[in-house]
mmCIF file of all heavy atoms in Angstrom:
data_model
loop_
_atom_site.group_PDB
_atom_site.id
_atom_site.type_symbol
_atom_site.label_atom_id
_atom_site.label_comp_id
_atom_site.label_asym_id
_atom_site.label_seq_id
_atom_site.Cartn_x
_atom_site.Cartn_y
_atom_site.Cartn_z
ATOM 1 N N ASP B 43 21.065 69.878 37.820
ATOM 2 C CA ASP B 43 22.274 70.549 38.299
ATOM 3 C C ASP B 43 22.958 71.347 37.208
ATOM 4 O O ASP B 43 23.658 72.313 37.470
ATOM 5 C CB ASP B 43 23.234 69.521 38.892
ATOM 6 C CG ASP B 43 22.739 69.060 40.258
ATOM 7 O OD1 ASP B 43 21.980 69.850 40.889
ATOM 8 O OD2 ASP B 43 23.060 67.940 40.680
ATOM 9 N N SER B 44 22.743 70.957 35.954
ATOM 10 C CA SER B 44 23.409 71.703 34.887
ATOM 11 C C SER B 44 22.494 72.746 34.240
ATOM 12 O O SER B 44 22.957 73.576 33.478
ATOM 13 C CB SER B 44 23.936 70.734 33.824
ATOM 14 O OG SER B 44 22.879 69.910 33.393
ATOM 15 N N ILE B 45 21.185 72.701 34.533
ATOM 16 C CA ILE B 45 20.284 73.666 33.898
ATOM 17 C C ILE B 45 19.490 74.453 34.943
ATOM 18 O O ILE B 45 18.727 73.877 35.720
ATOM 19 C CB ILE B 45 19.291 72.964 32.942
ATOM 20 C CG1 ILE B 45 20.056 72.120 31.918
ATOM 21 C CG2 ILE B 45 18.406 73.989 32.228
ATOM 22 C CD1 ILE B 45 19.176 71.226 31.095
ATOM 23 N N GLN B 46 19.694 75.756 34.935
ATOM 24 C CA GLN B 46 18.880 76.639 35.774
ATOM 25 C C GLN B 46 18.506 77.885 34.978
ATOM 26 O O GLN B 46 19.254 78.303 34.105
ATOM 27 C CB GLN B 46 19.661 77.080 37.034
ATOM 28 C CG GLN B 46 19.911 76.001 38.042
ATOM 29 C CD GLN B 46 21.378 75.611 38.055
ATOM 30 O OE1 GLN B 46 22.246 76.452 37.835
ATOM 31 N NE2 GLN B 46 21.657 74.337 38.297
ATOM 32 N N PHE B 47 17.336 78.440 35.294
ATOM 33 C CA PHE B 47 16.925 79.689 34.648
ATOM 34 C C PHE B 47 16.691 80.738 35.722
ATOM 35 O O PHE B 47 16.118 80.433 36.767
ATOM 36 C CB PHE B 47 15.628 79.509 33.864
ATOM 37 C CG PHE B 47 15.716 78.466 32.791
ATOM 38 C CD1 PHE B 47 15.068 77.251 32.939
ATOM 39 C CD2 PHE B 47 16.442 78.700 31.636
ATOM 40 C CE1 PHE B 47 15.147 76.276 31.958
ATOM 41 C CE2 PHE B 47 16.515 77.734 30.639
ATOM 42 C CZ PHE B 47 15.881 76.522 30.794
ATOM 43 N N SER B 48 17.110 81.987 35.464
ATOM 44 C CA SER B 48 16.900 82.996 36.490
ATOM 45 C C SER B 48 16.044 84.171 36.005
ATOM 46 O O SER B 48 15.645 85.009 36.791
ATOM 47 C CB SER B 48 18.237 83.514 37.008
ATOM 48 O OG SER B 48 18.936 84.099 35.939
ATOM 49 N N ASP B 49 15.775 84.228 34.709
ATOM 50 C CA ASP B 49 14.940 85.311 34.189
ATOM 51 C C ASP B 49 13.473 84.869 34.210
ATOM 52 O O ASP B 49 13.148 83.736 33.838
ATOM 53 C CB ASP B 49 15.376 85.621 32.755
ATOM 54 C CG ASP B 49 14.405 86.558 32.063
ATOM 55 O OD1 ASP B 49 14.269 87.699 32.528
ATOM 56 O OD2 ASP B 49 13.766 86.120 31.086
ATOM 57 N N ALA B 50 12.583 85.763 34.668
ATOM 58 C CA ALA B 50 11.177 85.388 34.856
ATOM 59 C C ALA B 50 10.537 84.858 33.574
ATOM 60 O O ALA B 50 9.827 83.850 33.591
ATOM 61 C CB ALA B 50 10.386 86.583 35.387
ATOM 62 N N ASN B 51 10.815 85.528 32.443
ATOM 63 C CA ASN B 51 10.225 85.074 31.179
ATOM 64 C C ASN B 51 10.777 83.711 30.742
ATOM 65 O O ASN B 51 10.044 82.890 30.184
ATOM 66 C CB ASN B 51 10.442 86.099 30.065
ATOM 67 C CG ASN B 51 9.395 87.201 30.096
ATOM 68 O OD1 ASN B 51 8.392 87.076 30.824
ATOM 69 N ND2 ASN B 51 9.628 88.259 29.352
ATOM 70 N N SER B 52 12.074 83.488 30.996
ATOM 71 C CA SER B 52 12.660 82.186 30.641
ATOM 72 C C SER B 52 12.006 81.092 31.464
ATOM 73 O O SER B 52 11.715 80.005 30.950
ATOM 74 C CB SER B 52 14.162 82.192 30.912
ATOM 75 O OG SER B 52 14.759 83.277 30.267
ATOM 76 N N ILE B 53 11.763 81.367 32.722
ATOM 77 C CA ILE B 53 11.114 80.386 33.598
ATOM 78 C C ILE B 53 9.704 80.071 33.076
ATOM 79 O O ILE B 53 9.330 78.906 32.926
ATOM 80 C CB ILE B 53 11.056 80.910 35.050
ATOM 81 C CG1 ILE B 53 12.475 81.058 35.609
ATOM 82 C CG2 ILE B 53 10.223 79.973 35.926
ATOM 83 C CD1 ILE B 53 12.555 81.748 36.954
ATOM 84 N N SER B 54 8.960 81.127 32.751
ATOM 85 C CA SER B 54 7.599 80.917 32.235
ATOM 86 C C SER B 54 7.629 80.094 30.954
ATOM 87 O O SER B 54 6.833 79.188 30.764
ATOM 88 C CB SER B 54 6.918 82.250 31.919
ATOM 89 O OG SER B 54 7.016 83.112 33.000
#
Side-chain angles (χ1 to χ4, degrees):
Chain B
D43 285 336
S44 54
I45 305 170
Q46 290 109 33
F47 301 108
S48 61
D49 170 63
N51 277 349
S52 306
I53 295 172
S54 309

